[in-house]
């Protein structure tokens, strides 16, 4: 359940769906950035 929800959140970022980046390091940076943004949004929602 948690994995499905997390994948749903990450699929909301359009940049992750198609692979536009040729360099794998650039491409792998986007899921990390998307996860950080998701965590930040959740943190802000829980603390306010």
């Amino acid at each position: 359940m948690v994995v499905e929800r997390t994948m749903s959140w990450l699929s909301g970022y359009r940049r992750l769906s198609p692979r536009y980046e040729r360099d794998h390091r650039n491409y792998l940076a986007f899921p990390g950035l998307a996860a950080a943004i998701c965590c930040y949004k959740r943190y802000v929602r829980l603390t306010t």
Side-chain angles (χ1 to χ4, degrees), residues 10-44:
L10 291 178
S11 68
Y13 293 93
R14 291 182 292 152
R15 184 78 181 210
L16 295 177
S17 299
R19 185 173 177 176
Y20 292 123
E21 303 296 330
R22 292 186 185 270
D23 189 15
H24 69 279
R25 289 175 291 176
N26 291 345
Y27 179 72
L28 291 176
F30 285 113
L33 182 61
I37 291 171
C38 287
C39 290
Y40 176 74
K41 287 181 179 180
R42 177 119 172 121
Y43 174 75
V44 168

